[in-house]
Structure formats: structure tokens, C-alpha cells
Amino acid sequence: MHFPSARRLLALALGSIALAVAVGGCSKSPDAPPAGGAAQKAGAVKIGFYVKQPEEPWFQLEWKFADQAARDLGFTLIKTGGNDGEKLLAAIDNYAASGAQGFIVCTPDTRLGPAIVAKAKAANLKLIAVDDQFLGPDGQPMKNVHYLGISARKIGEEVGRTLAAEMKKRGFDPAVTAVCAVTYDELATAKERTDGAIATLTAAGIPANRIFKAPVRTTDIPGALDATNILLTQQPGVKHWLVCGSNDNLVLGAVRALEGRGFAPESCVAVGINGTDCIVELEKAKPTSFFGSMLLQPKAHGYQTAQMMYKWIKDGVEPPLDTRTVGILITRENFRQVLKEQGVRE
Ligand code: FCA
């Protein structure tokens, strides 16, 4: 993930607003045919769907379910992705130019919230934020922007409970057991998840000085592998690690780091979040330290957001401002069944 300086962010935002005014101005003109040309039917609904990390199975599933909504309801979906604020701002121009009436977005940087809102308004595009809630100039969540996300704290707490229960079940000696929380505190939903896990592990009796954070620089498996390796070097005495993180990939990176250091799979317990990016891991013939994951609801995040947007555009039905989804624990024992029940897998 990129961290543009405050000045660069401002320049980006101002530039994009000017552009949006120009583009919005054109597409609103009653005389000009909408860009997209003759192929576009009058009144046809077009919806953009931007995701920050299109390589993550989580986001691929969101798109897959949004595509399903497009087929069921009969609208055109324009999918764009990339972990780059400039790419997102350009995509919004493109949605407007193609005659879309709204878009759903998981932004690469939540601090771009005010710029995204300004651009959407100028181009007369309806807007729903998914997964990552926008932050206002005061650093607080923009509660006036429609949002669908997870109950991050509660889901994190469930991760913590699962880790504490496994520690007990396996009889780990508390003197040589510690927590590795792979964190990305720059993103509110990510921080709430690991804070929740840490809070329940603390309540379960793990002392604060046995809880370590491994902050990532990039939110992917290599980023988590690097962050965890630093921690493992600093704490050579730990025999059993309880691993939590803000999503599957960060926890998988930690599991790979533990393997690299020779930890036996059963000597550590790792629990992810998403449940969509760890299926290959759970399918491995030999168990790894990756015990399970909190499966989220990609269908709600993809299909439901697209449906909300469609109804808003077509029938003027405004979606609720804040919708939160829950998670279910999947493990090697139940994942096939639960993924099926939840419609994630056939
Ligand atoms: C964030 C994470 C994703 C997913 C989503 C619900 O955007 O980066 O992996 O957990 O929230």
C-alpha cells in the first residue's frame, strides 16, 4: 500500500475534483449522448465496482457476486482495481464518462474519502463504500457515506477466543507461549480486528508482555512474512506462537515465517479472517499451523452492495448508511461444508 504525503494527497484530491467537474459537466448535459455511444440503451443502469487488491481471492469473490447481481437484475458492471489512489480517481472519471450512475468502492487509502465523495458528487454518481470505511479530514469515519463492512471488533474477539481455547486444549506452557499479532493499524477495520483478538487473549490470562505486534509495511503474504521474521528474531525463547492478523494473507505470511524457522505445525496456532484466501491452505493434505479462519460474507459484500446500488439508481431506494456483516469460524473439519452452506463454493 502506498503512503502519499499529505501534500501529495491534497494535490491529488484537488486535481481530481477539477477533472470530475469537467467530466460530470459533460455527462449531465441533456443534448450530448452519453459516452458509451449507441450501444448504450436509454435508462440502462451501469455500476462501477472498484477494489484495492484485485489479486486477493476475497475481492475476486466480491466481484463474482456483483457479476451475479448484474446478471440477475440486468445491469452493466464495470470492474476496476489497483492498490493506488490515482488509479481509483481515474476510474471514477471513467465510470462517469461511460455513463454509469453509481459505484461501489473498497478504496486503497481511506484518507482519500473526501476526494472520492467530492468527485462522485461532481459527476452525479451515487457512492457506496465497501469493506474499508472512508476517513474525514479529522481522521474520523465519514458516517454520512453509505457503507457496508464487517463487525471487525467482534470478529477479532472470536479469533482471540479460538486461539485461547486451542492453547488450553494443547496444554501449551504459558511461560514459553506468546501472541504474534500481524497488524496494519493504518486501516481502522484492520486495527479493530487485531485489537479485538488481543483484548480476548488478554482477558483469557495472557500477560501484556507476552503479546507482540508484527506491523506490516505491505498488506500481503510477503509483507507479513517479513514483519513476522523480525519478531521471531527478537523473541528466540518462544516455543508456541498464537497468531492473529487482520486477514488471511497476513496470517498466512506469519505461518510461512514460522515454518521457515522450523516450528512444528502443531506447536503453533494461527487463525485468519476472510476465510476465502486460505482455502488452498486448509485443503493441504498435511495440516499446517493455520488452524482456521473467520469466514466473512463475500456474497453480502458483492451481491448485496450491487443490489443496493441498483435499487438506489433505479427506484430511488436509498440503502442504510451503515450495514455490518458477521463471520463464522471455519477449520479443517468443517470448511467444505460451511463454504457450501454460505454459497462461497458450489
Ligand atoms: C479489508 C481487507 C480485506 C477484507 C475486507 C473485508 O478490505 O483488506 O482482506 O478482509 O476488509
Side-chain angles (χ1 to χ4, degrees):
M1 198 158 293
H2 301 278
F3 289 109
S5 68
R7 205 201 278 161
R8 206 170 114 67
L9 263 179
L10 186 69
L12 247 174
L14 291 176
S16 66
I17 291 165
L19 245 173
V21 170
V23 172
C26 299
S27 65
K28 267 184 288 176
S29 154
D31 307 323
Q40 188 177 322
K41 281 181 266 152
V45 174
K46 268 198 184 179
I47 297 171
F49 202 129
Y50 192 97
V51 303
K52 63 176 181 182
Q53 286 180 275
E55 74 288 353
E56 252 186 31
W58 168 258
F59 292 109
Q60 289 163 12
L61 273 168
E62 275 187 351
W63 270 350
K64 184 184 137 190
F65 285 119
D67 266 330
Q68 202 174 305
R71 277 194 306 276
D72 290 353
L73 302 167
F75 64 85
T76 304
L77 188 74
I78 314 171
K79 290 172 288 191
T80 327
N83 210 350
D84 176 342
E86 274 177 84
K87 205 166 172 200
L88 164 59
L89 298 173
I92 303 173
D93 291 334
N94 182 48
Y95 298 151
S98 359
Q101 299 91 346
F103 65 99
I104 297 147
V105 55
C106 177
T107 172
D109 185 339
T110 50
R111 294 171 306 165
L112 278 175
I116 300 166
V117 169
K119 233 168 168 348
K121 267 204 186 117
N124 203 19
L125 290 166
K126 294 186 166 42
L127 166 65
I128 297 176
V130 70
D131 301 340
D132 298 359
Q133 192 168 24
F134 294 173
L135 296 182
D138 56 356
Q140 294 306 307
M142 293 179 77
K143 295 192 170 151
N144 56 342
V145 176
H146 296 79
Y147 171 65
L148 184 145
I150 69 165
S151 322
R153 171 91 189 187
K154 278 204 184 117
I155 289 169
E157 287 170 356
E158 190 59 33
V159 169
R161 264 191 293 279
T162 307
L163 290 171
E166 275 306 303
M167 172 185 173
K168 206 167 158 203
K169 204 166 141 199
R170 297 177 194 209
F172 288 169
D173 174 1
V176 288
T177 302
V179 172
C180 162
V182 189
T183 56
Y184 183 59
D185 286 351
E186 290 80 354
L187 177 64
T189 180
K191 184 176 189 309
E192 281 170 40
R193 300 172 197 189
T194 40
D195 281 356
I198 290 171
T200 32
L201 286 161
T202 307
I206 301 189
N209 64 2
R210 307 295 296 161
I211 297 177
F212 301 99
K213 281 189 175 187
V216 297
R217 285 159 147 297
T218 57
T219 53
D220 50 15
I221 295 178
L225 182 102
D226 289 348
T228 308
N229 265 328
I230 294 171
L231 174 61
L232 298 182
T233 305
Q234 289 166 343
Q235 301 298 331
V238 177
K239 299 274 175 287
H240 305 290
W241 284 102
L242 306 176
V243 182
C244 61
S246 62
N247 66 15
D248 284 342
N249 277 352
L250 298 202
V251 172
L252 285 170
V255 168
R256 298 289 91 88
L258 290 168
E259 285 168 350
R261 301 270 168 152
F263 281 89
E266 62 283 0
S267 68
C268 302
V269 189
V271 176
I273 293 175
N274 278 5
T276 51
D277 314 352
C278 60
I279 300 176
V280 173
E281 184 78 6
L282 294 174
E283 275 173 338
K284 285 182 178 170
K286 267 194 171 169
T288 68
S289 296
F290 194 95
F291 176 73
S293 178
M294 292 300 293
L295 172 68
L296 307 182
Q297 297 178 277
K299 188 162 183 182
H301 290 238
Y303 194 106
Q304 201 181 322
T305 50
Q307 190 176 33
M308 281 173 170
M309 179 57 81
Y310 175 79
K311 287 192 175 156
W312 196 5
I313 293 168
K314 186 117 193 317
D315 310 322
V317 181
E318 188 183 331
L321 269 172
D322 196 326
T323 308
R324 302 291 171 141
T325 57
V326 296
I328 312 173
L329 180 68
I330 55 170
T331 63
R332 290 177 75 89
E333 267 66 61
N334 71 359
F335 77 98
R336 287 190 180 84
Q337 175 77 17
V338 179
L339 289 173
K340 208 169 155 187
E341 282 165 7
Q342 295 299 308
V344 176
R345 275 208 156 173
E346 324 274 275

